[in-house]
Structure formats: structure tokens, C-alpha cells
Amino acid sequence: MIIFKWLDRQIRRIKRKQRLGEKFTSNLTWRRFSTEQLLNLNHGIDFNNVDKIYEIGWCNGKDKYLGILKFLIKYKALNAIRYLDNTIEDGQDEMGFIPRGEYLKTYLWAMKDGRIFVQLVKGSFDTKEEEVEFEQDIKLINFKNINKRKLIYPI
């Protein structure tokens, strides 16, 4: 019975991916959670005007990596951001290895009015607090490789 439930869930996920045109996505619970967090961080943005939000990657929150991210954004090399995913520091507790310290999450927002911008959200695994660290509008971008990243919104 468990195998049938698992198989049914996989088929539903595949159909949802095809319907949304996604190459890679997180599960629905994570997308709802991420959208809720972004809604709380961005009070000034009308979510009725948001077309899509992609999570490009996570990296360490040190100033060094913030500078690298700003450089990559400036030169529209958003695909290279995923290579910074392994820079997050690990710690160990009784449960095993866990992420610790500060992190930066990179989101690409596409609005229905044509505006596209990148947003960096800085947070901490230790305190669970997040804030928008940096935001920059981007002109013309190739969405071919971006749509292989995690689609956060629409849910």
C-alpha cells in the first residue's frame, strides 16, 4: 500500500511539473513556506503582479560571498551562482552535520509588468532571522537556464 501511495505522489509531481513547465522544483510544502517568507519580507510588493519567482541558490553569508554575488549579478552570470551552494558552513551536533552561520539566498523575480530583478536575502541558521540584503533590476535575461532552478512562485 505504501508503494502505491509513493508512486501516486510521484506521478502527481511529474504532471504538475509538466503543467508548470518546470525542469526542477521543490516540493509543494517548501514552495508555500518560501512564498510566505518572501511575502513577509517584501511588504511593498503586490503579489498579484508577480509572474514567477525562482530560487537561484544559497551560499555563505560572509561579505566575501556577497561581493561575489553582486559581481555575478552585475554581469548577468546568474547560472554561476549555483556553484556557490557548497560554501555554507557545516557544524556538528548530536544529530550529525547541520548547516550553521549566516547564509544568502538568491531569488529571481519576474513581474507581469515586465520588470525583472534579483534579490539577495540574508539570514542565519542560528537565529532564524532574514532580511533583504540587496536588490537589483535586470534588463534582458535568458530564462532558458534559469527555469532549471527551483520555482517558488506560483505555488
Side-chain angles (χ1 to χ4, degrees):
M1 203 57 140
I2 293 172
I3 293 174
F4 291 118
K5 286 183 182 179
W6 176 84
L7 187 59
D8 184 49
R9 182 173 183 269
Q10 295 302 320
I11 290 170
R12 282 187 283 129
R13 284 185 65 211
I14 289 168
K15 285 181 180 177
R16 181 173 54 85
K17 281 183 182 182
Q18 289 172 346
R19 194 169 55 246
L20 293 173
E22 296 175 58
K23 302 286 188 250
F24 179 71
T25 185
S26 57
N27 72 26
L28 202 54
T29 306
W30 177 251
R31 288 175 65 181
R32 284 190 185 123
F33 177 72
S34 298
T35 300
E36 200 171 298
Q37 281 186 322
L38 287 173
L39 191 63
N40 290 336
L41 285 173
N42 296 285
H43 300 291
I45 295 179
D46 177 19
F47 266 70
N48 293 327
N49 189 31
V50 176
D51 185 25
K52 293 179 182 171
I53 304 172
Y54 289 99
E55 182 182 290
I56 304 299
W58 293 53
C59 73
N60 194 308
K62 292 182 181 175
D63 289 339
K64 169 185 170 181
Y65 295 104
L66 179 62
I68 292 171
L69 284 174
K70 287 181 179 179
F71 176 82
L72 293 173
I73 291 167
K74 179 179 178 181
Y75 291 102
K76 298 179 187 163
L78 299 180
N79 293 328
I81 292 173
R82 69 176 178 236
Y83 298 116
L84 297 175
D85 285 353
N86 61 356
T87 60
I88 293 178
E89 295 177 13
D90 284 334
Q92 191 169 4
D93 66 1
E94 59 278 354
M95 302 282 288
F97 286 99
I98 56 168
R100 66 178 181 84
E102 294 182 337
Y103 60 84
L104 287 164
K105 290 191 282 188
T106 308
Y107 293 103
L108 178 71
W109 295 63
M111 309 300 272
K112 290 179 183 174
D113 63 4
R115 180 179 175 222
I116 300 170
F117 65 94
V118 175
Q119 187 177 71
L120 298 178
V121 174
K122 188 170 191 168
S124 172
F125 290 110
D126 305 325
T127 63
K128 307 286 191 235
E129 295 176 10
E130 289 187 336
E131 64 182 17
V132 175
E133 181 74 18
F134 177 78
E135 190 173 296
Q136 181 174 332
D137 285 350
I138 293 182
K139 308 274 187 237
L140 306 173
I141 187 164
N142 184 359
F143 274 95
K144 268 188 177 176
N145 292 325
I146 298 301
N147 67 6
K148 295 177 185 169
R149 305 308 296 159
K150 289 182 184 175
L151 179 66
I152 300 298
Y153 185 87
I155 298 173

